[in-house]
Amino acid sequence: MMDKISRVRVSSCYLPLAHPISDAKVLTGRQKPMTEIAMLFAEIETADGHGGLGFSYSKRAGGPGQFAHAKEIAPVLVGEDPSDISRLWDKLCWAGASVGRSGMATQAIGAFDVALWDLKAKRAGLSLAKLLGTHRDSVRCYNTSGGFLHTPIEQLKANAAASIARGIGGIKLKVGQPDGALDIQRVEAVRTHLGDAVPIMVDANQQWDRPTAQRMCRIFEQFNLVWIEEPLDAYDHEGHAALALQFDTPIATGEMLTSAAEHADLIRHRAADYLMPDAPRVGGITPFLKVAALAEHAGLMLAPHFAMELHIHLAAAYPREPWVEHFEWLEPLFDERIEIRDGRMLVPTRPGLGLTLSGQARGWTREQFSFPS
């Protein structure tokens, strides 16, 4: 007998950050400092007693919109076979097609899609990585949370050294300030402090124009960086492609794209050496796997953005050696922790994502919707 989805629950949870976070978008006046992350959780139950947990998220704005869209489309899942994930993605998409097939709409779908994959792996008694087919049992990782622009240089150096001592493999520094000399000073200080052997990345968060990006990329060549991330607007594929062709330092971008189709256009332009898809942003694991297949075919390296609790599984299944971004921000939401050793994250072996929501996550929940009610 076919198992069927019997209940769907969505929750809107707001995760407070310990300190206001500033990157280049704040220093250029385009955004305010980030103080919380809006999480959208989806929990799916079946008639046979199986369950799956998925999530999406939004920073600074969009959390209420994601939750509202998820409430509207959630009922179409009830009565369906949870194994038919690709078909259910299409059904969810068409249920809300009038608002488009990217952006907030697909981010709401992402929470359901992740929950369905989590459920499927649990039913198989496998971790998500094993269900997809792993190429490795650990993945290189780098820390971003210690390198934001609000951090003074001495603290920046201390944060970087502490991350390496903890076993994290690389350090990413935010750049893109109005005064580029400050960016150079900060990168040079950390490179000198850590030495030449430690992998360092930089991220301009889309805040340079083309002449500034060329100038800064040329200067940064001396620091032997793993990549320069988002030097230009996320949709300036031609500009990114020109930088990737001109400089030895790889160009990384893709985190702001919100569909597989947008990533396909980026790849067609050869606009990145490192592709940085974000599974919740593109609509979940189903479209992420399409992006990964395109990236592999194009010979690109992979470094998924944020949400290490999910992306560790997806990166483990990518044929070429990837990087995963270490952010401890989401840890209070879950009872489990990812183990880090010798510069790498160990892929969890628990069934599914290997995650359960913490009591703290329940406490930060502001709204819930269940169907049937």
Side-chain angles (χ1 to χ4, degrees):
M1 294 292 293
M2 179 185 69
D3 196 6
K4 292 184 178 182
I5 296 173
S6 59
R7 181 175 298 278
V8 180
R9 179 184 298 110
V10 291
S11 306
S12 178
C13 168
Y14 282 77
L15 167 69
L17 299 177
H19 307 284
I21 303 299
S22 294
D23 57 24
K25 299 186 293 293
V26 174
L27 272 66
T28 55
R30 289 173 169 169
Q31 290 186 344
K32 62 182 180 179
M34 181 166 51
T35 59
E36 61 185 8
I37 300 174
M39 301 295 300
L40 174 66
F41 289 110
E43 298 169 90
I44 295 176
E45 301 172 7
T46 75
D48 287 350
H50 300 288
L53 170 67
F55 64 88
S56 189
Y57 72 93
S58 182
K59 299 176 180 178
R60 293 185 176 90
Q66 284 186 15
F67 179 70
H69 190 68
K71 281 175 56 179
E72 286 190 296
I73 62 177
V76 306
L77 291 174
V78 173
E80 292 284 358
D81 184 342
S83 295
D84 298 337
I85 299 177
S86 180
R87 182 178 64 81
L88 294 181
W89 196 99
D90 287 344
K91 186 172 186 179
L92 288 164
C93 184
W94 281 107
S98 63
V99 294
R101 302 187 191 184
S102 64
M104 190 181 296
T106 52
Q107 290 165 27
I109 292 172
F112 298 117
D113 186 78
V114 172
L116 289 168
W117 279 98
D118 181 53
L119 190 157
K120 191 168 192 172
K122 286 176 179 174
R123 290 176 67 183
L126 299 171
S127 68
L128 175 61
K130 282 294 184 183
L131 182 73
L132 298 174
T134 57
H135 286 265
R136 58 196 62 84
D137 57 12
S138 66
V139 179
R140 294 181 296 185
C141 62
Y142 67 95
N143 177 262
T144 295
S145 56
F148 278 85
L149 290 178
H150 62 271
T151 310
I153 285 185
E154 289 305 312
Q155 187 62 51
L156 194 70
K157 290 157 59 177
N159 290 349
S163 291
I164 298 302
R166 182 182 170 185
I168 294 171
I171 300 296
K172 188 165 81 177
L173 306 173
K174 295 291 185 175
V175 294
Q177 302 184 75
D179 183 356
L182 296 176
D183 288 336
I184 299 166
Q185 181 184 7
R186 290 163 68 86
V187 175
E188 184 173 26
V190 174
R191 172 54 80 202
T192 301
H193 186 63
L194 296 181
D196 293 336
V198 174
I200 296 177
M201 306 81 164
V202 300
D203 181 2
N205 286 111
Q206 309 177 74
Q207 297 309 294
W208 292 331
D209 56 25
R210 289 191 183 189
T212 303
Q214 277 214 324
R215 188 178 307 115
M216 295 302 289
C217 286
R218 185 176 298 111
I219 293 170
F220 282 148
E221 291 271 67
Q222 66 183 299
F223 296 118
N224 189 31
L225 302 175
V226 178
W227 67 64
I228 297 172
E229 184 175 335
E230 286 194 324
L232 299 168
D233 184 273
Y235 292 96
D236 186 359
H237 299 336
E238 291 181 353
H240 279 109
L243 296 174
L245 185 63
Q246 181 176 357
F247 295 105
D248 292 339
T249 305
I251 299 300
T253 189
E255 68 177 67
M256 296 304 298
L257 305 185
T258 58
S259 70
E262 291 176 359
H263 278 279
D265 194 42
L266 183 152
I267 293 170
R268 181 174 61 83
H269 280 86
R270 305 297 302 182
D273 301 295
Y274 276 95
L275 196 66
M276 312 189 83
D278 182 315
R281 281 184 177 166
V282 299
I285 294 167
T286 299
F288 183 98
L289 295 176
K290 296 177 182 179
V291 172
L294 292 172
E296 180 193 355
H297 181 71
L300 300 184
M301 295 171 283
L302 191 76
H305 168 256
F306 198 57
M308 63 183 184
E309 291 82 0
L310 167 59
H311 287 133
I312 180 64
H313 292 275
L314 304 182
Y318 192 67
R320 293 178 178 83
E321 180 71 37
W323 285 90
V324 169
E325 188 169 26
H326 177 269
F327 265 102
E328 69 280 1
W329 292 354
L330 302 187
E331 287 183 344
L333 298 170
F334 306 108
D335 291 327
E336 299 79 13
R337 296 292 178 268
I338 295 177
E339 187 176 351
I340 297 170
R341 186 186 307 155
D342 299 327
R344 304 177 71 87
M345 285 185 192
L346 305 190
V347 180
T349 58
R350 299 179 296 273
L353 289 174
L355 298 175
T356 52
L357 286 179
S358 67
Q360 183 64 81
R362 303 291 186 188
W364 285 329
T365 297
R366 296 182 186 176
E367 292 185 89
Q368 274 195 334
F369 169 81
S370 293
F371 187 82
S373 60

